Amino acid sequence: MGHVSTVILGSGSYAPSRVLTNDELSTVVETSDEWIRTRTGIRERRIAGETELTSDLAVEAARAALADAKLTPTDVDLVIVATVTPDSPMPATACLVQHKLGIRSDVPCFDVNAACTGFIYALDVASAMLNSGRYRCALVIGAEKLSSVVDWRDRTTCVLFGDGAGAVVLGASEQPDVGILGIKLGASGENAALLAIGSTPSDPLFQSSATTERRYLQMKGKEIFKLAVRAMDESARDILEQHKLRADQIALVIPHQANLRIIDAISQYLELPMERFFVNVDRYGNTSAASIPLALDEARRAGRIRAGDISLLVAFGAGLTYGSALIRW
Ligand code: UT7
């Protein structure tokens, strides 16, 4: 029988045990719990140990997702890791995950870099590969160790980010109108320099002042905030329109968790109450590509998603990338 749709067979997530609170951060940089909470909604974030790598976080999330799907690593025939903090630029973190999990060797393994939109990009790639009929079971992971690229002297960025991982197992279904109903992606590279790890070579904005070291994450927060709200709102509207759905038909929005005020703004623009948005930015901060799969897994485990519900995933990130996905459970 042919492949009709791509469904989520299981999900899992993992966050390092070390909690870094706002109060603790106030001893590192000139900030306060009050400032961080009111400007971002973040109360704490998780920080991986020195020897705990992105691939380790990814493996834990993947194990949980496979257990949830009642499958084993030998069932997997495609591995995609979305990350901007791979263990190293080469090899792909997906290959390290493959090895650590004991996944077969006749399986493609590669990373996707679309920053905070990375998980939605990876879902689209995996879904297209499953649709080809050449693969049956994909492991799609978002994992980040952002603590390794944050400049811990820069209060405008270091309070925002955290470490974590989330994963889903995707499979083919012969049932129509379930699983991934659609995905819409985009990017506006002209704004690439607003959010980067290191400097983008051609852009004067980050042609580093002597004090800015090139390997750190740098962000023009105010500009990014405005672009994030606009792009996520437009992306959500686009995909709803494409699928002839009204916002109130979405049972739960699972947005990228960067800032509670961004989620609030989108809730207002879409005229959908905050109760329809899953929020865990308070406990993890911004975990980039891990943010949506971590939220999705927590939403499922918290009973916020029921059979037949439609969820909307929507994200925005460096690139600047943006995208949305509609999923019927
Ligand atoms: O995942 C990709 C997407 N990323 C994002 O979506 C992040 C988007 N941006 C944001 O979330 C917000 O712009 C921030 C949270 C980064 C900043 O919030 P803001 O309301 O735009 O604040 P601001 O940058 O305008 O800063 C206001 C003031 C400044 O002081 P002055 O110039 O008014 O005297 C900053 O120096 O707050 C100061 N400030 C801080 N104060 C205490 C900046 N960071 C801190 C801090 N603690 N950590």
Side-chain angles (χ1 to χ4, degrees):
M1 275 300 283
H3 171 128
V4 176
S5 50
T6 298
V7 291
I8 295 180
L9 301 173
S11 67
S13 58
Y14 175 78
S17 53
R18 163 85 165 98
V19 174
L20 178 61
T21 64
N22 290 347
D23 280 336
E24 232 181 314
L25 254 180
S26 328
T27 67
V28 180
V29 286
E30 188 70 38
T31 189
S32 65
D33 173 54
E34 215 261 328
W35 191 95
I36 302 171
R37 262 191 303 103
T38 54
R39 297 288 177 127
T40 72
I42 300 167
R43 291 172 184 273
E44 58 188 42
R45 69 288 292 140
R46 301 297 183 92
I47 304 294
E50 213 161 309
T51 57
E52 199 174 17
L53 305 175
T54 295
S55 62
D56 298 317
L57 309 183
V59 161
E60 293 303 326
R63 281 208 175 100
L66 285 166
D68 186 40
K70 301 189 172 57
L71 292 171
T72 66
T74 50
D75 295 313
V76 173
D77 57 12
L78 169 65
V79 182
I80 307 179
V81 175
T83 187
V84 294
T85 49
D87 290 8
S88 66
M90 183 177 82
T93 297
C95 297
L96 305 172
V97 169
Q98 174 204 27
H99 178 63
K100 288 179 184 180
L101 279 175
I103 288 169
R104 300 195 321 262
S105 63
D106 60 341
V107 163
C109 300
F110 58 94
D111 291 358
V112 162
N113 178 340
C116 306
T117 321
F119 181 75
I120 301 180
Y121 268 67
L123 272 188
D124 204 14
V125 175
S127 163
M129 288 177 79
L130 289 169
N131 261 317
S132 76
R134 295 166 55 214
Y135 304 93
R136 281 170 308 141
C137 178
L139 188 54
V140 179
I141 308 168
E144 301 284 6
K145 186 178 177 179
L146 293 168
S147 61
S148 67
V149 294
V150 156
D151 183 349
W152 291 100
R153 299 161 302 182
D154 175 11
R155 69 173 184 175
T156 69
T157 54
C158 78
V159 302
L160 305 173
F161 298 96
D163 302 336
V168 295
V169 180
L170 298 179
S173 166
E174 288 164 18
Q175 208 187 320
D177 292 326
V178 293
I180 299 175
L181 303 179
I183 297 183
K184 204 159 189 309
L185 305 173
S188 56
E190 74 271 17
N191 290 318
L194 293 177
L195 177 50
I197 296 174
S199 53
T200 52
S202 60
D203 200 289
L205 200 57
F206 286 126
Q207 285 296 299
S208 323
S209 59
T211 53
T212 322
E213 277 148 63
R214 298 170 67 90
R215 68 182 193 87
Y216 291 121
L217 184 152
Q218 304 172 61
M219 177 170 72
K220 298 284 179 212
K222 254 193 167 24
E223 288 88 335
I224 289 283
F225 189 101
K226 290 180 208 145
L227 292 168
V229 171
R230 194 187 310 151
M232 285 168 75
D233 175 50
E234 282 176 11
S235 177
R237 282 172 197 280
D238 276 358
I239 200 162
L240 289 172
E241 196 180 316
Q242 203 173 57
H243 292 265
K244 301 192 168 42
L245 289 167
R246 297 182 316 272
D248 65 18
Q249 291 175 281
I250 302 301
L252 190 67
V253 182
I254 303 172
H256 171 50
Q257 310 280 318
N259 186 323
L260 185 60
R261 284 159 54 217
I262 294 178
I263 300 174
D264 241 324
I266 294 162
S267 145
Q268 286 176 30
Y269 286 172
L270 293 179
E271 295 181 58
L272 202 58
M274 277 298 271
E275 298 85 71
R276 299 273 191 104
F277 286 73
F278 188 79
V279 174
N280 65 5
V281 69
D282 52 323
R283 288 178 293 120
Y284 299 108
N286 181 346
T287 59
S288 194
S291 154
I292 286 186
L294 182 54
L296 183 150
D297 183 53
E298 288 201 337
R300 286 188 73 218
R301 285 169 201 270
R304 297 279 305 269
I305 296 174
R306 288 164 201 284
D309 276 2
I310 302 178
S311 303
L312 168 68
L313 317 186
V314 57
F316 170 88
L320 302 174
T321 58
Y322 51 89
S324 294
L326 285 172
I327 298 170
R328 195 199 303 271
W329 300 91

